[in-house]
Amino acid sequence: MMKMSRAFAACLLLLLSLVVCLPGSSDGLVRIGLKKRPLDLTGQLAARLSHPDELGVLAARKYGPLLRDSLGLEHGPDGPAEPDDGNIVALKNYMNAQYFGEIGIGSPPQNFTVIFDTGSSNFWVPSSKCYFSVACFFHTKYKSSRSSTYQKNGKSANIHYGTGSISGFFSEDHVTIGDIVIKDQAFIEATREPSITFLVAKFDGIFGLGFEEISVGNAVPIWYNMVNQSLVKEPIFSFWFNRNANEGEGGEIVFGGTDRKHYRGEHVYIPVTKKGYWQFDMEDVLVGGQTTGFCSGGCAAIADSGTSLIAGPTTVIAEVNQKIGADGVVSQQCKAVVAQYGETIMNMILAKEEPAKICSKIGICAFNGPQGVSLGIKSVVDNQVEKLDSGISNGMCSYCEMAVVWMQNQLMQNKTLEQVLNYLDELCERIPSPMGESAVDCNSLSSMPVITFNIGGRNFDLRPEQYILKVASGGSEECISGFTALDVPQGPLWVLGDVFMGAYHTVFDYGNLRVGFAEAA
């Protein structure tokens, strides 16, 4: 089971979005549809991804996006929609993990499968000049000689990912999305795509919908040109993901508006705190109605359509794991910290010691300003940070800082010293796996807690059936947690991917620099 769940996690964390153009409708909206294909967890590809030599694939994290793998699609029609305004990209659902689409480049258009990704800002596809990367031979390649609107640019470009990078050069051409044509769009022709990540992925390229501030080469993002060329009615776009994997309609992206039939009530809007990613402030994370205490000083969050799961600090994900019975790894370092320093930490908290200094005062950490458990909200754009570390990097110091947060949380619930230490010992046995995935018992969903995100003063609840992914495997069913650990020096940071966006219709309001959430319908 673990081998198969690891394979699924590899597929899950690699990549997720694709679209196929259908004729423009009479209402001026564009609909693009996809279908799903069964996931073969026991096939040759899954075996390769679960091999220890390929474990780096599971940590293929770039911020911009987590990389997600796409394992197949078929084309099919989609039904009519009745949006407020805008151009529609209709999506089809793949195992509640992948959403795909198609765009065209050039005149006449050359079609490419892409990811519509709010976690990055560049637009790239493989180039016909990609000669030495095996991945390019398995994907559609752009041929500038076949386009009458191609313009040479030639500036070199590199985009770094967790398991490698793509490199190439900029070109300019017209880009077609349904019946929209964006003129003279700068994009990257990728001439090098190393690593298994790009080899096994079914997508050809990535369609970045982030801000210009994180655009490699200072290229103007394609969304900016859609607005500047007056191709959308309003400077907003919105996502609806259908999380019912058994239904043909997988969701939609609306450029220039929203589709009212896909959300209930009104959106709660939160201002973007730093242009780069679609980043905003989050006030709290609760498990079963109890605060985790980790965001008491505030947390940063990012809405990312290009990430399948919800990624958050190990400190909180360990508590989620414990509450939902998710597989984790046993950390002897964590247990040692609890056994040796647990009572001391408890006494210092009760004595009102400053939490951020506790671990340095007992000699485990070196205090260097407002770090550790008192990390403030900082943008991941600061200092041009492109790659984030996942997991724990400072050994016992990190576990000590986690213990402080865990103990503070337990003390607020009036737990005794013995209860607190036993609870922490349990958490040390549920440390999120560096593999990135956590299996859970499919029969235990009814006893799992609601996970709540407090954003903009409102609670956004996720029920177990919304945050657990069910995967068919060899006639049986596996369940995978929708949460994974991600620790960043600029944190605490949460990445709200499709698990969250599937429950809450999401509006990206470029004109007013805000993100909106409403219950998905």
Side-chain angles (χ1 to χ4, degrees), residues 31-227:
R31 294 172 174 80
I32 301 176
L34 296 174
K35 285 191 176 180
K36 49 190 173 292
R37 183 178 293 170
L39 179 63
D40 178 14
L41 291 178
T42 58
Q44 181 178 7
L45 174 59
R48 288 182 66 189
L49 291 177
S50 63
H51 191 278
D53 292 341
E54 301 297 342
L55 296 186
V57 174
L58 297 172
R61 295 196 172 105
K62 173 186 80 73
Y63 228 85
L66 296 180
L67 293 182
R68 287 97 357 190
D69 185 27
S70 38
L71 296 179
L73 73 156
E74 297 173 357
H75 301 245
D78 61 315
E82 298 176 356
D84 300 336
D85 310 287
N87 293 274
I88 301 238
V89 174
L91 303 175
K92 294 289 192 297
N93 189 357
Y94 174 73
M95 303 295 289
N96 279 348
Q98 301 166 10
Y99 300 85
F100 304 95
E102 188 176 278
I103 53 85
I105 304 177
S107 303
Q110 302 170 40
N111 290 339
F112 296 87
T113 295
V114 296
I115 307 301
F116 288 95
D117 181 18
T118 60
S120 65
S121 299
N122 287 92
F123 174 36
W124 65 265
V125 296
S127 172
S128 61
K129 298 177 176 62
C130 181
Y131 304 119
F132 303 110
S133 291
V134 176
C136 289
F137 292 94
F138 291 88
H139 297 94
T140 304
K141 293 181 283 187
Y142 171 74
K143 300 176 177 64
S144 59
S145 61
R146 295 186 181 180
S147 174
S148 62
T149 48
Y150 161 75
Q151 296 183 53
K152 183 178 180 180
N153 180 306
K155 181 180 178 180
S156 63
N158 294 275
I159 300 180
H160 295 279
Y161 292 83
T163 55
S165 63
I166 67 101
S167 60
F169 58 91
F170 282 98
S171 292
E172 295 179 14
D173 209 332
H174 291 4
V175 177
T176 302
I177 308 173
D179 58 3
I180 289 179
V181 179
I182 302 99
K183 297 180 179 179
D184 304 322
Q185 175 64 43
F187 66 99
I188 298 171
E189 290 192 48
T191 57
R192 185 171 180 272
E193 299 182 23
S195 89
I196 192 174
T197 299
F198 303 110
L199 176 64
V200 302
K202 294 295 183 182
F203 68 92
D204 298 315
I206 294 178
F207 188 106
L209 289 167
F211 289 95
E212 189 172 16
E213 280 75 2
I214 59 170
S215 177
V216 171
N218 296 317
V220 178
I222 192 167
W223 165 248
Y224 282 47
N225 282 331
M226 292 171 70
V227 174

Side-chain angles (χ1 to χ4, degrees), residues 9-15 58 60-61 66-69 309 435-436:
C11 300
L12 193 62
L13 292 176
L14 293 182
L15 261 168
L58 297 172
R61 295 196 172 105
L66 296 180
L67 293 182
R68 287 97 357 190
D69 185 27
L309 306 180
M435 296 294 296

Side-chain angles (χ1 to χ4, degrees), residues 303-414:
D304 184 3
S305 64
T307 295
S308 299
L309 306 180
I310 294 175
T314 297
T315 305
V316 182
I317 302 301
E319 290 199 75
V320 172
N321 276 358
Q322 193 271 342
K323 291 294 192 300
I324 68 177
D327 289 345
V329 295
V330 178
S331 171
Q332 296 303 327
Q333 274 192 326
C334 180
K335 283 178 169 288
V337 168
V338 173
Q340 187 172 350
Y341 301 102
E343 188 171 353
T344 299
I345 294 172
M346 174 78 88
N347 291 334
M348 294 177 75
I349 293 174
L350 293 173
K352 307 297 183 181
E353 290 279 358
E354 185 177 343
K357 295 182 178 180
I358 288 177
C359 294
S360 62
K361 284 191 173 183
I362 61 178
I364 298 180
C365 298
F367 182 75
N368 183 23
Q371 295 183 349
V373 293
S374 62
L375 280 169
I377 300 175
K378 297 183 181 179
S379 170
V380 293
V381 181
D382 291 345
N383 302 320
Q384 298 181 336
V385 175
E386 292 185 353
K387 292 187 293 182
L388 306 180
D389 297 325
S390 62
I392 301 164
S393 58
N394 296 321
M396 292 184 71
C397 174
S398 294
Y399 287 119
C400 179
E401 292 172 344
M402 290 184 196
V404 172
V405 175
W406 292 335
M407 285 187 176
Q408 286 179 294
N409 186 30
Q410 290 296 294
L411 285 174
M412 287 189 293
Q413 301 177 39
N414 297 318

